[in-house]
Amino acid sequence: MSTKKINSEQGHWLLAKMGKRVLRPGGRKLTETLIQNLEITSKDSIVEFAPGMGYTAQLILNKRPLQYSGIELNEEAAQRLQQHINTPSQKIFNTSAAQTGLEQLSQTKVIGEAMLSMQVDARKSEIIQEAYRILKPEGLYGIHELGLKPENISENSKREVQQNLAKAIHVNARPLTKEEWCQLLQKEGFKIKSIQESPMDLLKLKRIIEDEGFWRTLKIMFNIFTHPKAKEKILIMKNTFKKYESHLTSFAIVAEK
Ligand SMILES: C[S@@+](CC[C@H](N)C(=O)[O-])C[C@H]1O[C@@H](n2cnc3c(N)ncnc32)[C@H](O)[C@@H]1O
């Protein structure tokens, strides 16, 4: 699939087109917890994998880190970000998080949200290995990703959730259980420092207001109701999330090199 133009067939870009800025499963609050747990200071060189619409980038930049690098695969999204983030100490690179081109042992923190979930397992590992390679010893890697529950979910249910999610959001979403996410990080050498869980309420009205604020929510609703094709696709997404509500969740994990 081309990563040049934003493909609004994909659930996250469709929502972005409707005005949504928070595109991660645990919402703004889980992002804020993750950022708090990463303890970002003005001494940090921090890399964000997949900044997307730049929402978390702004939260990070508010902490005035020494250096910020955003690694965004999609060319159009990267170009949009570059319009606001482009100084010697704040850069956006249009490349894959699996191959950032950054120097090894050069970073103190890495953060990535809602981007590992959309990779096959081998690619997830490549991206985690890249985070490990660029981090200094004791550096922190924070992720915020789509989760599956309960821990002992059957293989059949897992497959059903993954297949139906993929159909609804037009992205090969492959969420994992808490233990599976932890094992994936540990396999590449990370130690787990903290784990937070939050419901996967991305398209519930209460969460949209929490994430986007009242006026932006009104704007998003207006956009959805005046774009019938988008509305139909978003309703399919919402119904799929509802159908698998008992199996879907989100995790924010901080791991240490
Ligand atoms: C669901 S959006 C999440 C965006 C943002 N992190 C957020 O939480 O709002 C997924 C993003 O991951 C980016 N992406 C997917 N694979 C990537 C990769 N291998 N390297 C860098 N970015 C990637 C996509 O272009 C898109 O911006």
Side-chain angles (χ1 to χ4, degrees):
M1 190 180 294
S2 163
T3 50
K4 281 201 164 198
K5 287 245 168 270
I6 283 180
N7 171 4
S8 53
E9 280 299 305
Q10 294 184 329
H12 52 280
W13 292 135
L14 179 62
L15 293 172
K17 204 171 151 191
M18 296 296 111
K20 209 164 169 354
R21 290 176 307 178
V22 178
L23 303 170
R24 67 295 308 261
R28 186 173 53 81
K29 274 200 186 145
L30 197 63
T31 295
E32 283 170 2
T33 307
L34 181 64
I35 288 190
Q36 227 169 37
N37 291 344
L38 283 173
E39 295 175 359
I40 300 164
T41 72
S42 56
K43 294 195 178 120
D44 279 314
S45 295
I46 180 158
V47 175
E48 183 180 7
F49 289 168
M53 302 301 292
Y55 185 86
T56 298
Q58 197 50 56
L59 297 181
I60 296 170
L61 292 176
N62 291 346
K63 306 262 175 202
R64 308 202 172 281
L66 190 63
Q67 192 91 33
Y68 168 90
S69 311
I71 308 290
E72 173 53 59
L73 184 64
N74 185 277
E75 191 178 315
E76 196 180 335
Q79 278 171 1
R80 284 189 196 179
L81 289 161
Q82 278 160 350
Q83 289 170 11
H84 310 283
I85 302 174
N86 197 357
T87 69
S89 61
Q90 302 175 2
K91 287 258 173 259
I92 297 291
F93 300 95
N94 176 213
T95 183
S96 169
Q99 261 179 323
T100 61
L102 296 172
E103 245 180 77
Q104 62 172 348
L105 304 171
S106 60
Q107 308 295 319
T108 54
K109 312 228 158 119
V110 176
I111 182 170
E113 297 178 286
M115 59 86 64
L116 287 175
S117 311
M118 60 197 276
Q119 323 281 338
V120 295
D121 286 351
R123 178 51 59 95
K124 285 186 177 77
S125 293
E126 280 173 29
I127 292 173
I128 298 170
Q129 282 161 18
E130 181 66 357
Y132 194 88
R133 187 188 71 79
I134 61 179
L135 274 171
K136 295 182 179 178
E138 295 176 14
L140 299 181
Y141 180 28
I143 67 168
H144 171 173
E145 295 290 343
L146 195 55
L148 278 179
K149 61 180 187 180
E151 200 54 59
N152 63 353
I153 181 173
S154 71
E155 280 306 313
N156 276 347
S157 302
K158 202 178 194 176
R159 208 169 312 120
E160 187 186 326
V161 175
Q162 288 179 346
Q163 281 172 356
N164 286 299
L165 266 185
K167 266 193 229 152
I169 64 177
H170 300 274
V171 175
N172 247 333
R174 287 159 189 271
L176 301 176
T177 66
K178 188 182 347 181
E179 205 37 51
E180 286 171 335
W181 279 119
C182 289
Q183 279 169 9
L184 209 62
L185 290 160
Q186 285 163 332
K187 188 162 67 82
E188 306 309 335
F190 283 102
K191 274 190 303 207
I192 306 299
K193 273 198 78 180
S194 68
I195 308 172
Q196 248 79 38
E197 184 169 353
S198 185
M200 207 313 251
D201 287 347
L202 185 71
L203 292 182
K204 286 197 181 162
L205 185 61
K206 184 169 171 279
R207 170 67 71 76
I208 300 179
I209 296 173
E210 247 173 54
D211 283 353
E212 311 285 348
F214 180 74
W215 295 109
R216 184 166 268 269
T217 301
L218 273 189
K219 187 176 160 207
I220 295 168
M221 292 304 158
F222 176 80
N223 287 340
I224 293 176
F225 284 100
T226 51
H227 291 80
K229 277 196 183 142
K231 182 179 156 198
E232 196 182 314
K233 289 178 190 164
I234 291 169
L235 276 179
I236 293 175
M237 280 164 65
K238 189 173 161 66
N239 291 339
T240 307
F241 295 163
K242 176 93 194 111
K243 181 169 179 195
Y244 296 109
E245 194 171 18
S246 63
H247 286 310
L248 290 174
T249 185
S250 61
F251 300 117
I253 303 176
V254 175
E256 186 180 25
K257 175 163 173 176

